[in-house]
Amino acid sequence: MHAHFTSLLLNLKEITITNIVNVQDDFYIYVQPTDYLQVCPQCEGRNVIRKGTAYERKVRHLPAFGRCVYLLLPAIRMSCNQCGASFVWQ
Ligand SMILES: [Zn+2]
């Protein structure tokens, strides 16, 4: 319920909140994409596989309650079986 309410506040339908942490007066919101796979950005094919998470992106979001808000997004590596392109979740 709490995460769902925060999802409504962020108004980002493509991600799901997994955890919220308060670090030194800043909010760190850990998110995951709602979809398991993403179409290839090169050929727009759907024959794509996940190849793990390389690192975590830290994106500054709009401030809330006078504090900085950061989104921590996994950089999910993907590969297209159709054209051979490798890319990270957009
Ligand atoms: Zn492709």
Side-chain angles (χ1 to χ4, degrees):
M1 178 97 174
H2 176 65
H4 177 69
F5 181 69
T6 309
S7 295
L8 289 174
L9 283 176
L10 289 174
N11 196 24
L12 297 173
K13 295 172 180 63
E14 299 87 10
I15 56 174
T16 302
I17 295 171
T18 58
N19 195 13
I20 300 172
V21 179
N22 186 6
V23 178
Q24 296 177 352
D25 294 334
D26 294 335
F27 292 116
Y28 286 77
I29 301 174
Y30 293 83
V31 299
Q32 289 284 328
T34 53
D35 295 332
Y36 184 75
L37 293 174
Q38 188 176 42
V39 296
C40 174
Q42 185 167 329
C43 70
E44 298 183 359
R46 295 192 173 271
N47 191 3
V48 173
I49 58 170
R50 286 174 76 137
K51 300 187 93 177
T53 302
Y55 56 93
E56 198 165 61
R57 293 181 189 159
K58 182 178 171 184
V59 179
R60 189 170 182 168
H61 197 56
L62 297 173
F65 311 110
R67 296 180 177 187
C68 292
V69 176
Y70 296 98
L71 298 178
L72 295 164
L73 309 149
I76 300 170
R77 297 182 316 134
M78 306 181 88
S79 179
C80 178
N81 289 333
Q82 197 167 324
C83 70
S86 294
F87 55 98
V88 177
W89 193 278
Q90 307 277 317

